[in-house]
Amino acid sequence: QVQLVESGGGLVQPGGSLRLSCAASGRTFSAYVMAWFRQAPGKEREFVAAVSGSGSTTRYTDSVRGRFTISRNNAENTMYLQMNSLKPEDTAVYYCNALRLFGGTTPLLSWGQGAQVTVSS
């Protein structure tokens, strides 16, 4: 069974960068399509990005495409979200999870604590 822990959040000025990490436990990490979600204050949790099991294919929600990069290192059982050109509207708690299908948004695992990202001057 895969368990996930998010880290790397913090306070950043608009236009700045931040890298989030999602550390996994378990031997089946590479078998999962992985994804990042986020939940801003007063809003529903939304899909951000997904990466295939091998790491060769990615997809993004429109608002982050071109600014964020999702990746994974299966040898280290870790997934990353590199966030560049950050905007105040990126402020949210960011969560990682596994997906049932690469093209979908249905999470397979329990939600963790997430990582707080605050973009503000």
Side-chain angles (χ1 to χ4, degrees):
Q1 177 60 47
V2 175
Q3 295 182 324
L4 308 171
V5 179
E6 301 92 343
S7 63
L11 174 64
V12 188
Q13 290 186 292
S17 298
L18 203 61
R19 186 183 72 165
L20 302 182
S21 297
C22 174
S25 62
R27 301 185 206 169
T28 59
F29 178 70
S30 63
Y32 289 91
V33 174
M34 296 296 297
W36 287 97
F37 296 78
R38 67 185 181 185
Q39 187 167 26
K43 298 182 180 179
E44 295 294 314
R45 198 191 323 262
E46 67 169 339
F47 168 82
V48 176
V51 58
S52 62
S54 68
S56 62
T57 309
T58 61
R59 70 184 186 93
Y60 303 87
T61 193
D62 289 346
S63 62
V64 310
R65 189 176 297 108
R67 300 187 298 120
F68 291 10
T69 302
I70 187 172
S71 63
R72 66 195 296 164
N73 186 333
N74 288 340
E76 301 290 337
N77 275 20
T78 306
M79 179 178 65
Y80 304 97
L81 185 67
Q82 178 65 47
M83 304 181 292
N84 299 325
S85 302
L86 283 163
K87 305 174 180 180
E89 50 262 46
D90 294 319
T91 296
V93 177
Y94 285 71
Y95 303 89
C96 60
N97 214 310
L99 297 182
R100 186 174 70 87
L101 298 171
F102 176 77
T105 59
T106 303
L108 289 179
L109 307 175
S110 299
W111 297 106
Q113 294 296 109
Q116 176 69 55
V117 173
T118 303
V119 185
S120 176
S121 297

